[in-house]
Amino acid sequence: MSKKIADHNPGRKLFSSKIAAIVVWTITALWTIPTFGLFATSFRPKEDVFMSGWWHIFTSPHFTLSNYQAVLFGQGDAGSVGGVIPYFLNSIAITVPAVVFPLVIATMAAYSLAWIRFKGSDALFFFIFALQIVPIQMSLIPLLQLFTGGAHIGHITIIPALGIAGKLAGIWLPHTMFALPLAIYLLHNFISALPRDLMEAAYVDGANHFMVFRRIVLPLSIPAIAAFGIFQFLWVWNDLLVALTFSGGTQNISPINAKLASLVGQWGSHWEILTAGAFITIALPLVVFFSLQRYFVRGLLAGSVK
Amino acid sequence: MSISKKAMRAALSLAAVSVIATSVAAVSPAQAATASCAGVGTYAKQAGATVEIFNSVIGQENARYQAALIPFQNCTGITINWNGTNEFESQLGVRVQGGTAPDIAMIPQPGLLAKMVATGKVVKAPATTLANVNKYWSAGWKGYGTVNGVFYAAPNSANNKSLVWYSPKQFKKFGYTVPTTWKEMMSLSDKMAAKGQIAWCGGLGSGTATGWPGTDWLEEIVLRTQGAQTYADWISHKVKFSDPKIIAAFDQLASWMKNPKYVGDVSAIATTTFQNAGMGIPTAKCMMLQQASFYAAQYPATVKVAPTGDVWAYYLPGINPAVKTPVEGGGEFFAAFNSKAATQEVQNYLSSPEWAKARIAAAGPAGGWLSANNGVPLSAYTNGLDALSAKYLADKNSTFVFDGSDAMPAAVGAGSMWTELTNWFTGKSTADVASAIDASWPAA
C-alpha cells in the first residue's frame, strides 16, 4: 500500500495506525476464541470433553474423528439413527428454492414499483413496506390452518385447502412470503436509484419494460440481489421455527437444524456430538458467504450513496 | 388517507381469512381380515395404513421404542411412524391448532392432556383400550388419563418417587431390618440415632431447581396422611398451604427431615446437592435417603446397586392406614386425535400387557422402562429396581398420585415452593413459608 493513497484517505490512515491494528486484532481474536473452542472440542474424545476444557489440547493433544463419524453416519453410542446427511440434503432442498423464489418475485416487483407509473403504486409500495412489521410467530398457526383447511366464509370457499403442510412446498411458501417485504423494499431502493437516462435511452430505442428489466436493470442490480440472496440464504438455512411448524412433524423433510437439536440426546448427555454437528451445519453457509462476500459489502451500501 | 383505508381493508380481509377455522373429516376404511401373532395379540389387518405417534423421546430411547414396535407392525401391516422431537411440548400445540395434528401423541403431563382435550381435537379412547385400562391399571392411573369424566388416554411408562435408598450391607452389619410401616421407620431412625449414626441423608441443592427434593418430601407426607382427594385439592389450591392439614404435614416433615437427632446439621441439607446427598450411604456416613427410582444413576460404577449390594431401595411406607399403598410418581399417556381404524388398533395394542413386555425386553438388563400395567408379571423385568418400582405402581389397590409440584402452576411448583422450602430448612417459620407460597399463587 503506497503512502500517497493512505495520505489521501483519512479512513485508511486511521486503520493503518499501530494502535488501531492491535485493537482490531484483539477484538478479532476475542470473537474467534469461542468458535475455535467449539472447533477444537469437536475433535476431542467424549471422555476428554467431559473431563477438561478444550484448551487442554495444547498441553495434551488427543484428537479423534469419532464425533464426526457419529454425526455423519450415526455410528457410536450417540444413537443418532442414520446420521445427518439426509437432513443436510433436506436443508439444501428447502433453502435453494426459498432463496430463488423471493429474489425472482422481488426483483420484478421492485422494478415495476420503481419504474412503471400506475395509480396507487406509491401506496402499494408503502403497504408492502409496512408488512414487515407482521411478526412471523403470530402468523404461523393461521398460515398452517390455511394450508390444511383453506379459507371459507360460510360455505363459500375463498382459498381451497392447499394440502402442502408436511411437503417441501409448505416450507418454501412461508419463507418466500416473509422474505418479500424486505426484499422488495431493499431492491426498490437500489433499482430506483439507477440512472434515469439509461432507461429513457432504452425506451427511445424501442425497448419494452421486459427488455429494460432483462438487459439493463438485472445486470446492474447484481450487488443488491447477491446481498439479499446471502441474507435470505443465512436466514433460511439457520431457521428452525418455520421448518418445524410447516414440516408438520414429518421427519423426511426436516432440515438439519431440527436434527441438530435432537443430537444432544434424551438426557442432554451428548453435547460432544453437537460440536461436530454444528461445524457440519455451518460448512455450506461459510462457503456461500466467502464466495459472495465482495457483493455483501457493496450490496449493504445499496441505495445509501448516490 | 387513501393509503390507510386500503391498508385497513387489506388487513381486515387477511384477518378474516386467517380466523376462519376448518376441520378435516377422517374416513375410516372398512376392515376385513384379522391377524393373530405370538407375543402381540389379535388385531385387524390394516396393510398400508400409517399411524404417527408424536412424542418427546429422542436418541437411544427412541431407537428402543422403534425396536419394540416392530412385531406389531409385522403382524398387522400398519406402519408406525414413531416421531420423537425435543420440541414436543411447543410443537404439539402448534400442530393441533394448525390442523396437522398427529394420529397419536405421547403426553407426559396430565395438565397438557387437559389442555389438548380443551381444544376439542382429542378423541375418546376406543372400547378395547378402555377395557384394557380398566383391567390392567389402578383407578388413580385411569384418572390421570380422564378429563371431565371422559377417558381419553391410556398410560404408557411410569416412574416411582416413593423410595428410600439404603445400604443392605450396612443394614446387615448393624442388624437393622427394612421397615414396612412409618412407625418402624421412625423407631429404626431412633435406634440409629442412639448409636450416634446419622439416620437420614438429605440434599436440596440442584442448581436453579434447588429445593425440589423438599417438595417431594412434603408431597409424600400430604399423600400419606391426607389421601388422594386432599392431595388433588391441594394441587388445585382448594386446600391452601396455610390449611391446618398442610401445616400438620409440615410439622410431620419437621420431625423427620428437620430433626437434628436424625439428620445432624439441618441447615446443611439446604446446601448439599441432591446428587451428593446419598453418596455417604455405602459407607454409613448417613443411613437412608428418600429419593426417586432414577437416583440409582447417581452412583458411580464402583458402587453395587443390588438387593444385597452397597445400595438398594425400599418402599417408603404409608402413614394413615386409610390411604392404601400410597405411591407418588409420573408417567406418559397416549392420546389420539382421530378415530381411524388403524389409530384405534395401535391404541389398543399400546394399552396391552404385550406392548409393555415388548418394551421392557427392548430396554435390556440396564432397565429404565417400567409400566404400571398389572398384566405384566414382575418376572418380566430384567432389572430388579424396575421390578421393585413396578410392584407398587401396578398394585390395583395402590393410591397413585402424580408429582404435585409438576402439576401446580409453574410460579409455585417450579418457583416459590422450591425457594420457600429451602428457606424453611434454613430456619424460616412454617407459618411464614406457608403464607409466602399461598401469596405467590397466580390469580385465576
Side-chain angles (χ1 to χ4, degrees):
Chain A
M1 193 62 58
S2 83
K3 198 161 186 274
K4 216 174 165 189
I5 298 174
D7 282 347
H8 283 287
N9 191 330
R12 207 171 278 273
K13 194 177 175 188
L14 179 68
F15 282 111
S16 62
S17 88
K18 274 219 173 84
I19 299 170
I22 292 170
V23 170
V24 168
W25 277 109
T26 314
I27 293 175
T28 310
L30 281 175
W31 273 84
T32 315
I33 284 173
T35 315
F36 180 75
L38 197 69
F39 187 66
T41 304
S42 71
F43 286 102
R44 303 183 77 213
K46 181 184 165 86
E47 297 72 34
D48 287 17
V49 171
F50 282 84
M51 290 290 285
S52 59
W54 59 268
W55 48 89
H56 286 87
I57 57 162
F58 298 114
T59 49
S60 55
H62 185 201
F63 298 112
T64 170
L65 284 174
S66 67
N67 294 340
Y68 284 91
Q69 270 171 356
V71 174
L72 285 173
F73 311 111
Q75 292 170 356
D77 67 342
S80 66
V81 185
V84 300
I85 292 173
Y87 298 90
F88 195 86
L89 298 179
N90 283 348
S91 266
I92 297 176
I94 289 169
T95 308
V96 173
V99 172
V100 173
F101 291 167
L103 274 181
V104 170
I105 299 170
T107 320
M108 293 199 276
Y111 171 77
S112 40
L113 285 169
W115 291 103
I116 304 174
R117 304 307 305 167
F118 59 93
K119 204 162 168 278
S121 66
D122 280 346
L124 185 61
F125 177 65
F126 282 124
F127 178 66
I128 291 171
F129 176 59
L131 277 180
Q132 282 183 73
I133 62 166
V134 178
I136 190 164
Q137 292 83 352
M138 202 185 78
S139 51
L140 289 177
I141 289 174
L143 252 185
L144 194 55
Q145 287 174 343
L146 188 68
F147 288 175
T148 53
H152 313 271
I153 296 177
H155 290 292
I156 307 156
T157 303
I158 312 290
I159 301 173
L162 298 174
I164 54 173
K167 299 197 171 69
L168 280 173
I171 304 179
W172 297 336
L173 203 58
H175 276 309
T176 306
M177 287 166 160
F178 280 95
L180 279 178
L182 183 66
I184 293 174
Y185 171 69
L186 221 78
L187 291 168
H188 173 272
N189 283 6
F190 187 89
I191 290 173
S192 66
L194 293 174
R196 176 173 287 273
D197 306 354
L198 273 177
M199 316 281 176
E200 280 172 355
Y203 295 138
V204 169
D205 286 346
N208 59 21
H209 278 303
F210 184 76
M211 285 167 78
V212 172
F213 175 72
R214 170 78 187 72
R215 300 276 175 82
I216 299 173
V217 172
L218 216 50
L220 287 175
S221 311
I222 289 295
I225 293 173
F228 185 78
I230 297 174
F231 266 134
Q232 177 68 2
F233 179 88
L234 292 179
W235 155 246
V236 176
W237 186 269
N238 290 334
D239 163 73
L240 176 68
L241 183 67
V242 173
L244 266 187
T245 308
F246 290 98
S247 64
T250 320
Q251 292 275 338
N252 45 18
I253 64 161
S254 287
I256 190 162
N257 279 348
K259 183 70 184 172
L260 199 62
S262 68
L263 278 180
V264 71
Q266 178 79 357
W267 317 112
S269 56
H270 280 297
W271 60 269
E272 84 281 359
I273 302 286
L274 269 188
T275 58
F279 270 90
I280 291 167
T281 311
I282 65 174
L284 191 65
L286 276 184
V287 170
V288 169
F289 182 79
F290 281 120
S291 56
L292 295 178
Q293 63 156 335
R294 62 198 181 97
Y295 292 115
F296 199 53
V297 179
R298 274 164 68 189
L300 279 181
L301 299 171
S304 64
V305 200
K306 293 233 173 178
Chain B
M1 216 41 220
S2 68
I3 299 169
S4 66
K5 243 187 202 166
K6 268 181 194 166
M8 278 288 280
R9 219 176 290 154
L12 276 177
S13 59
L14 267 180
V17 163
S18 46
V19 159
I20 298 155
T22 53
S23 62
V24 189
V27 186
S28 47
Q31 40 179 293
T34 59
S36 182
C37 311
V40 175
T42 305
Y43 295 95
K45 274 228 177 253
Q46 303 271 346
T50 300
V51 174
E52 184 200 353
I53 305 177
F54 194 48
N55 63 83
S56 56
V57 183
I58 58 174
Q60 269 181 332
E61 279 299 294
N62 189 308
R64 290 192 186 116
Y65 267 105
Q66 300 205 4
L69 285 164
I70 288 172
F72 175 77
Q73 299 180 66
N74 289 345
C75 177
T76 58
I78 297 173
T79 307
I80 293 179
N81 172 14
W82 181 263
N83 186 2
T85 166
N86 46 0
E87 310 286 339
F88 174 80
E89 267 89 356
S90 58
Q91 283 304 304
L92 182 64
V94 170
R95 292 187 59 185
V96 169
Q97 289 181 52
T100 54
D103 297 310
I104 296 173
M106 190 178 97
I107 298 178
Q109 301 103 2
L112 185 59
L113 175 65
K115 227 165 103 184
M116 287 300 129
V117 170
T119 65
K121 302 284 164 71
V122 180
V123 297
K124 64 177 194 164
T128 313
T129 305
L130 178 61
N132 278 347
V133 172
N134 282 335
K135 190 170 166 195
Y136 297 119
W137 269 276
S138 67
W141 276 97
K142 189 188 167 192
Y144 285 107
T146 306
V147 181
N148 298 329
V150 182
F151 177 71
Y152 290 96
N156 180 37
S157 82
N159 61 58
N160 184 351
K161 287 202 155 190
S162 300
L163 292 178
V164 175
W165 290 86
Y166 73 106
S167 171
K169 273 190 186 155
Q170 298 294 345
F171 266 48
K172 200 177 165 197
K173 189 171 152 196
F174 292 103
Y176 301 142
T177 50
V178 168
T180 52
T181 67
W182 192 268
K183 243 189 192 152
E184 278 177 37
M185 195 169 87
M186 287 301 131
S187 65
L188 174 65
S189 306
D190 285 332
K191 235 194 269 176
M192 288 169 175
K195 276 200 181 144
Q197 290 168 330
I198 293 177
W200 289 94
C201 327
L204 300 180
S206 180
T208 54
T210 293
W212 70 260
T215 69
D216 284 1
W217 297 334
L218 184 65
E219 284 155 17
E220 297 280 9
I221 294 196
V222 171
L223 170 66
R224 276 166 174 70
T225 54
Q226 305 295 337
Q229 189 53 50
T230 307
Y231 187 91
D233 290 345
W234 178 49
I235 286 165
S236 57
H237 213 215
K238 272 182 226 150
V239 170
K240 295 197 166 38
F241 277 78
S242 51
D243 189 283
K245 291 175 190 165
I246 307 300
I247 297 291
F250 267 110
D251 292 344
Q252 184 145 13
L253 178 56
S255 70
W256 169 34
M257 288 307 294
K258 256 181 92 171
N259 189 340
K261 195 169 76 170
Y262 296 156
V263 300
D265 181 4
V266 174
S267 60
I269 288 180
T271 50
T272 308
T273 65
F274 88 93
Q275 292 97 331
N276 285 336
M279 289 304 136
I281 290 176
T283 51
K285 283 202 187 85
C286 56
M287 305 304 287
M288 296 179 283
L289 171 71
Q290 198 288 307
Q291 260 298 350
S293 51
F294 57 74
Y295 196 76
Q298 299 298 335
Y299 287 105
T302 48
V303 172
K304 199 177 161 207
V305 183
T308 54
D310 297 313
V311 285
W312 195 242
Y314 66 82
Y315 164 71
L316 181 69
I319 299 174
N320 180 348
V323 184
K324 288 203 176 68
T325 325
V327 191
E328 185 189 334
E332 308 105 12
F333 299 84
F334 287 116
F337 290 90
N338 62 52
S339 45
K340 288 180 201 164
T343 305
Q344 298 202 333
E345 216 63 309
V346 173
Q347 278 182 286
N348 293 342
Y349 175 63
L350 292 174
S351 60
S352 70
E354 285 75 22
W355 155 245
K357 282 182 212 158
R359 184 59 188 83
I360 290 162
W369 195 95
L370 60 106
S371 172
N373 185 323
N374 64 32
V376 181
L378 292 181
S379 58
Y381 290 96
T382 43
N383 178 290
L385 198 63
D386 287 348
L388 175 79
S389 295
K391 184 179 159 196
Y392 295 97
L393 288 167
D395 186 342
K396 260 277 190 191
N397 298 316
S398 68
T399 311
F400 173 80
V401 295
F402 246 75
D403 185 319
S405 53
D406 286 353
M408 287 178 188
V412 178
S416 62
M417 199 172 166
W418 290 350
T419 50
E420 289 303 322
L421 269 161
T422 312
N423 292 342
W424 189 65
F425 272 91
T426 52
K428 197 168 174 178
S429 78
T430 306
D432 288 352
V433 165
S435 64
I437 301 176
D438 281 334
S440 71
W441 201 282

